[in-house]
Amino acid sequence: MANNNEQNGLSPTEFMAKKYFDQAEKYFTGDGVPVDFKRAAGGYAQAAKLGYAPAIFSLGVCYIRGLGVEHDEHKAYELIKQAADMGSVDAQFTLGHFYFDGSVVERDYDKAVEIFRAAAEKNHPGGLNDLGFCYQHGLGVELDLERAFEYYLQAAELDFAAAQNNVGDCYNFGRGVKADGERAYLYYYRAAQSGYAIAQNNVGMCYLNGRGVKVDFAQAVQWFEKATRQGNAVAVANLGFCYETGRGVPQDTERAVHLYTIAADAESAPGQYNLAKCLRDGVGTRVDEQRAFSLFKRAAENGFVVAYADLADCYARGIGTKEDKELAEKYKKLAQQS
């Protein structure tokens, strides 16, 4: 009579590997036990020694993120490549990111696209989403916003939150598709309901600005708070704006400055810009023109084009820095062009 392992199509080695892997998954996700990444990584390692591809991939992820083991991208790459060679689609997709980022292997957008495309052809939502990103920015392929939108949409329909947010962006900014505020809100909302912090912030912005929904400052604050609890720096800055202006909460400029400071320290350009204005104008804090100038400059360097005009003004009037008519004119032109 066949034993249960044989009936399940598993060899004794495969059975033990799956047992170690399943237990590790429980500790990783907190399924019926407290989350314990160290024990999860240990379980993945036991299963990996038995040649179980899902465990090899998961152990690689632990090394990428430093969960239960020390962060080690080189070790992660070795494990991910091993799992990819064994046919793991998740590992193959993740391998593409090593070529995309160029942190361990030499950056190669063409190779990354090749890997993302292979994953996309297997209907892998991450592969579809990242292939869309490559088309959106012209990385490894010719820029094609319509194709980017198509790939994002395919991944979004597979309930991939990042792609749902990207589809929302496409509808919001008319990127590869006709602009549609209501559709933008709906896709942001779908991603936000999954706990995706970037989308939660975007839903808040929809309520703040009446994009696709009626203006509702209280709802905006609730969504900014949800994203803030997940450490989204842009949402922290937006929550600060609500406190500065009294939208959805009682006006509290000191709290606004506190939130802007947190966001600015996390390299949020809107946080840097709004904190700079408060420091320049003495809103919720003492005037500090030198720090204000430094923050306007950081925000501009981070691509926040609204800061160009303020930076031009600083150079023109010597606010927090020496007067420099040439730089003032440079940033004035940049502001006009943006």
Side-chain angles (χ1 to χ4, degrees):
M1 182 176 178
N3 62 35
N4 288 336
N5 297 347
E6 292 170 341
Q7 289 175 349
N8 291 331
L10 300 175
S11 69
T13 299
E14 291 170 333
F15 175 79
M16 287 304 300
K18 190 174 186 307
K19 182 177 179 180
Y20 287 135
F21 175 77
D22 289 344
Q23 188 64 32
E25 287 282 89
K26 290 180 183 294
Y27 282 114
F28 193 89
T29 61
D31 181 11
V33 294
V35 170
D36 188 330
F37 293 129
K38 189 173 182 179
R39 293 185 74 169
Y44 291 143
Q46 286 179 299
K49 287 178 182 177
L50 297 175
Y52 194 58
I56 296 169
F57 167 69
S58 295
L59 185 59
V61 172
C62 288
Y63 276 104
I64 290 173
R65 299 168 62 186
L67 298 175
V69 292
E70 288 190 15
H71 172 77
D72 187 334
E73 289 195 346
H74 290 277
K75 180 68 174 176
Y77 172 77
E78 292 172 5
L79 290 163
I80 297 296
K81 189 174 187 308
Q82 183 183 349
D85 291 342
M86 295 171 71
S88 166
V89 179
D90 286 333
Q92 292 165 354
F93 158 71
T94 306
L95 192 63
H97 278 275
F98 284 101
Y99 288 103
F100 190 89
D101 299 332
S103 57
V104 176
V105 295
E106 185 177 351
R107 176 173 285 163
D108 187 335
Y109 290 132
D110 291 341
K111 181 69 173 176
V113 166
E114 178 187 330
I115 293 173
F116 293 152
R117 194 182 302 281
E121 287 172 355
K122 295 175 182 176
N123 223 31
H124 188 285
L128 289 162
N129 182 67
D130 286 355
L131 190 55
F133 183 88
C134 290
Y135 274 106
Q136 180 184 334
H137 297 280
L139 300 172
V141 290
E142 288 189 17
L143 189 147
D144 188 330
L145 297 181
E146 291 184 2
R147 289 192 73 177
F149 172 75
E150 290 171 4
Y151 283 119
Y152 287 148
L153 188 60
Q154 288 181 58
E157 295 311 308
L158 294 172
D159 289 327
F160 195 63
Q164 290 168 341
N165 183 75
N166 286 334
V167 171
D169 279 344
C170 290
Y171 278 119
N172 193 22
F173 301 110
R175 188 183 296 148
V177 68
K178 185 178 178 181
D180 187 324
E182 290 185 7
R183 286 181 180 271
Y185 167 78
L186 289 173
Y187 276 96
Y188 285 148
Y189 184 79
R190 285 174 63 184
Q193 286 288 81
S194 299
Y196 193 62
I198 296 172
Q200 290 174 340
N201 174 71
N202 287 335
V203 170
M205 290 299 293
C206 287
Y207 279 112
L208 186 68
N209 298 318
R211 180 64 169 162
V213 289
K214 291 182 179 180
V215 170
D216 188 326
F217 295 142
Q219 281 281 353
V221 167
Q222 288 181 26
W223 284 103
F224 291 148
E225 287 176 338
K226 287 181 180 181
T228 291
R229 286 193 288 270
Q230 295 195 66
N232 184 276
V234 176
V236 175
N238 288 332
L239 186 59
F241 175 78
C242 291
Y243 275 102
E244 182 186 352
T245 58
R247 285 173 165 84
V249 288
Q251 188 175 28
D252 186 336
T253 55
E254 290 185 6
R255 178 153 179 77
V257 167
H258 173 69
L259 290 166
Y260 289 153
T261 302
I262 293 172
D265 289 344
E267 289 304 312
S268 161
Q272 292 163 348
Y273 176 75
N274 287 335
L275 180 58
K277 288 200 302 178
C278 289
L279 289 164
R280 180 193 62 193
D281 302 333
V283 175
T285 186
R286 293 181 179 179
V287 171
D288 187 335
E289 292 185 347
Q290 287 186 330
R291 192 174 170 212
F293 165 76
S294 176
L295 285 163
F296 280 135
K297 194 167 185 291
R298 281 169 62 190
E301 290 169 350
N302 283 329
F304 198 65
V305 297
V306 177
Y308 292 154
D310 296 274
L311 197 54
D313 187 53
C314 287
Y315 280 119
R317 299 197 290 148
I319 298 174
T321 188
K322 292 181 180 179
E323 285 188 24
D324 190 320
K325 300 302 181 185
E326 187 176 330
L327 285 174
E329 188 62 27
K330 170 189 172 182
Y331 282 102
K332 182 180 178 181
K333 287 181 179 178
L334 286 172
Q336 292 170 344
Q337 292 168 5
S338 60

